Amino acid sequence: DWLNWADLTFRTFWFHSSSTLSGLTARGNLGVYWGAYVLIGLITVIALWGLLSRLWRYGRSTRSGGSSILTWRPDVTVLVLVFLVYLGLVAARHFMQPSFVTAQGRHLFPALVPIAFLLVSGWEEVLRSLAHAEGGSSAKLRSSRDRVLAVGIGGGLLAFSLFALLAFIVPVFYPFLPLSSTDPDDIPIAHRVEVSFADGLDLVGYDLNTSETEAGEALPITLYWRVGKEQVQDYLVTLCLHEKGGQAVTCHQGHPVDGRYPTRAWEEEYVIRDAVHLPTPTCLPTGSYEVRLSVSPLRLDTPVAAIDTAVPGMEPLPLGQVLVAAGQQPEVNDVDLWVEGKRHSHGSIRLTQLRQALTAITYQPTSNLSDAEQDVVRLLSDTTPSAPGGSWSEISPPITYDCPGGLTAATYSFLIDPALPPGTYQLATGEGSEAGLRVNVLTRARKFDPPDNVPVARNAVFAEDVELLGYEVDLSPRLPGEVINITAYWRTHRTMSHPYITSVHLLDNAVTMWGQFDNPLGGAYPHLLWAPGEYVREEYSLIVAPNAPPGTHNIEFGVYRLVKGEYYFLPVTTFDTSEPAKHIDLGQVRVLDPGRTKPPDYPLTVELGGQIHLPGFDLSKQELSQDEPLDLTLYWQAVDHPTIDYTVFTQLVGPDGQVWAQQDNQPQAGRYPTTSWEIRDTVVDRYSLPLRGGAPTGQYQLLVGMYDLQTGQRLQAIDAEGNCLPDDAIPLATLVLEEEH
């Protein structure tokens, strides 16, 4: 785990991020990606070797008493210290939370100057050593070394940086999201409107970027949305072109910003500029057509784009008239596929964006198109066309238009929704014939089949949004500072729109927390991206606090929202609970006392009731004091399984026969009851006995034993010779309280 974490930190420092990795995967550039890391890793290793070589040379020169050109320099010392400080902070974050969430090389960016200096210094030493081995004048050696450093190493890294920026980073992050915090009145908008399609989903204007176009071209339209309130679901934007009689001749359906910025991710007070391209059939006759806009909410409980019919919709909004000039007439069985306003009639198209829209327009003889054959276009998977998920279906029934000349144009809208498996799809007609168009979908592969084996089934549902199917946790005993690894198996019930945080706590019997792991649900794969019906496996690392007391601790698990500093835990229900709760228990873990392997300072052989053995004890001091309590450590072992949770009594009995200090509780302050003990396992039990005020001077007897709290009956105490001890109390030591001077 440490090596994997270090590797990921190294890669994220130089280049890698989840966004760039997904972009590289989509573009098939992973070979170049790993090759670049091999090169950078080689450069770094050589630089480290040079630094170690310089230190070794300096140390050898110092030990031999000779002079060295390597002298102490304050500026170099400061640079090294800065690097070590930030490296220490990154390592400390890993030790505090040992997971890949902390493997982020960006945390080393403040130390870029020291890193660059050390890299150059290491290479300088390597080149100096090579030049020294080859011989030559010192001036030539320095000149050659400087040229290699400046041109070979520095220039090479600079060239690679520019190449990576243009080839990898820019294609992933560009174009930027078209949003602005500018007041809509200050934005140049051709047509201003004030229409609210939902609470906080406001259209403030639009641009019809052209008043006329040619049939077969895409009509560019720009919509301007203002976010008055954060949305809890996604909406589908539909733009249609209508002829004079009101019939729709073609439509474009899709998410805003072509899926890159769905409404569920919108933030308040921003204006979103949404550029849409409405494809037109090539068979449209010359005439005036009207553009209409409608917005439909999508269901939250399905991974495919399905309109929520339970929410009443609005009438389409007319946006204006467009003059369409007749274009080149299509042929029978022609198929056009539109992506981002570009028309494709053959070849292969690569798509990497989830929720991206595609529009297909087919041309069939009108006489051959019956009502039963309206749904005639499919995108079939090349690998499993007949299997579930092998057919990529359109969002809604196609828009059909009877063209002049006996052809019917049918417009189909497709979306890359989360349920669509990545792969290659072939555009085919209803008869199964291929249209010569392939679509390569390169999105995240998701799991919609349940896991084969869930170690502990739980079926805990949080706020009806997400279900914890079960979990896996190693409940073996831990020492303070050690890690408890937990694996959770989730199933999404519906699309989530609020940021949730998972909360794993380690609590003792007094509900005191001795370990905590709070992290956004999903971690590197945020739950806001999870699709309904998707199964997700997530891992947590719960660290036992270094000062955690020994005993049995509960692992408590919950999910909460953080709203303006307030914690709101999601109500969770399970198959065996009738009322919602805030947390569920994942089990109990015993925290061990670090001193359990140490032999007792004062060995004993005493048995209690034939069930429990006391092999010895420790004392913090030999004399009593009114100022400091006496610390007592007992070492217990079970020789048989105790059937009752016994209570331990510890007493300091004074010279007057009175008890002047006492502590009674179940072992380890009640955190490890005797019925939980394993046979022959050592239980370290610690007590603190302060004397009450007014305690007389003289000799005190330290007594211990066990009893049943319900009956008050003490366990019979028998010493090594088989003798029963008086009052079933074990005398441990005689201590003296002297008069204070």
Side-chain angles (χ1 to χ4, degrees), residues 392-403:
W392 182 2
S393 300
E394 71 280 359
I395 306 169
S396 54
I399 304 297
T400 58
Y401 172 73
D402 292 336
C403 305

Side-chain angles (χ1 to χ4, degrees), residues 694-713:
T697 58
Q699 291 186 340
Y700 285 73
Q701 288 290 322
L702 178 59
L703 304 176
V704 301
M706 286 189 178
Y707 62 93
D708 183 353
L709 184 62
Q710 299 295 326
T711 64
Q713 181 68 39

Side-chain angles (χ1 to χ4, degrees), residues 137-402:
S137 65
S138 59
K140 291 183 177 180
L141 293 178
R142 286 195 300 271
S143 176
S144 175
R145 183 171 68 242
D146 292 343
R147 283 197 298 271
V148 172
L149 278 173
V151 180
I153 308 301
L157 288 176
L158 176 61
F160 175 74
S161 299
L162 295 175
F163 171 74
L165 176 66
L166 298 175
F168 301 143
I169 299 176
V170 169
V172 172
F173 292 98
Y174 187 83
F176 303 122
L177 289 177
L179 64 146
S180 172
S181 58
T182 306
D183 190 291
D185 294 336
D186 298 329
I187 299 176
I189 302 176
H191 304 277
R192 297 186 180 275
V193 296
E194 292 185 7
V195 179
S196 181
F197 287 93
D199 185 14
L201 182 63
D202 306 323
L203 181 72
V204 296
Y206 61 91
D207 295 339
L208 281 175
N209 297 336
T210 180
S211 59
E212 58 183 63
T213 187
E214 182 179 343
E217 299 295 328
L219 178 64
I221 304 169
T222 303
L223 306 173
Y224 294 88
W225 303 96
R226 183 180 180 275
V227 189
K229 181 180 179 180
E230 292 184 358
Q231 302 300 309
V232 297
Q233 65 187 130
D234 292 330
Y235 287 84
L236 199 65
V237 176
T238 303
L239 284 166
C240 293
L241 197 64
H242 293 256
E243 62 179 2
K244 288 184 178 180
Q247 179 188 359
V249 299
T250 185
C251 288
H252 169 84
Q253 289 183 301
H255 288 269
V257 198
D258 203 19
R260 294 194 301 122
Y261 197 36
T263 56
R264 192 164 42 92
W266 289 5
E267 299 178 79
E268 288 186 30
E269 304 304 325
Y270 277 94
V271 176
I272 290 91
R273 182 178 178 274
D274 183 17
V276 185
H277 295 84
L278 175 59
T280 60
T282 57
C283 65
L284 288 184
T286 299
S288 180
Y289 297 82
E290 184 179 54
V291 180
R292 298 180 186 177
L293 167 69
S294 60
V295 177
S296 305
L298 295 178
R299 288 172 52 182
L300 297 173
D301 59 350
T302 173
V304 299
I307 295 175
D308 189 351
T309 56
V311 179
M314 291 181 55
E315 290 293 324
L317 175 68
L319 297 186
Q321 299 287 328
V322 175
L323 181 62
V324 177
Q328 183 178 358
Q329 292 300 305
E331 300 290 336
V332 176
N333 295 327
D334 277 357
V335 179
D336 294 331
L337 189 62
W338 295 82
V339 180
E340 296 179 339
K342 297 180 180 179
R343 182 173 62 183
H344 305 267
S345 56
H346 62 277
S348 180
I349 305 170
R350 178 175 290 182
L351 303 177
T352 62
Q353 176 62 54
L354 184 66
R355 297 175 296 271
Q356 192 168 5
L358 297 86
T359 304
I361 302 180
T362 65
Y363 302 91
Q364 298 287 335
T366 303
S367 58
N368 294 343
L369 194 64
S370 63
D371 292 339
E373 295 173 330
Q374 296 260 332
D375 202 6
V376 295
V377 168
R378 286 288 185 274
L379 284 160
L380 302 179
S381 172
D382 274 2
T383 54
T384 55
S386 60
S391 177
W392 182 2
S393 300
E394 71 280 359
I395 306 169
S396 54
I399 304 297
T400 58
Y401 172 73
D402 292 336

Side-chain angles (χ1 to χ4, degrees), residues 596-669:
R596 64 192 302 269
T597 59
K598 183 188 81 68
D601 294 338
Y602 302 96
L604 275 181
T605 303
V606 179
E607 283 197 3
L608 295 173
Q611 302 176 54
I612 296 172
H613 174 56
L614 180 63
F617 64 95
D618 295 343
L619 288 176
S620 60
K621 55 185 179 180
Q622 297 298 318
E623 294 183 352
L624 296 177
S625 170
Q626 286 281 10
D627 299 329
E628 295 182 6
L630 174 69
D631 292 334
L632 168 66
T633 302
L634 302 174
Y635 294 82
W636 302 106
Q637 286 184 345
V639 294
D640 195 3
H641 288 292
T643 58
I644 296 176
D645 288 331
Y646 294 107
T647 299
V648 179
F649 68 86
T650 59
Q651 300 175 345
L652 278 173
V653 180
D656 57 356
Q658 300 298 314
V659 177
W660 288 95
Q662 182 171 0
Q663 182 180 344
D664 288 21
N665 52 242
Q666 293 185 7
Q668 296 184 341

Side-chain angles (χ1 to χ4, degrees), residues 12 57 67 81 110 115 118 147 181 222 348 454 493 503 596 652-653 669 723 730:
T12 53
R57 180 163 60 89
S67 60
L81 287 177
I115 290 173
L118 294 173
R147 283 197 298 271
S181 58
T222 303
S348 180
V454 177
H493 282 197
S503 174
R596 64 192 302 269
L652 278 173
V653 180
N723 300 317
I730 307 170

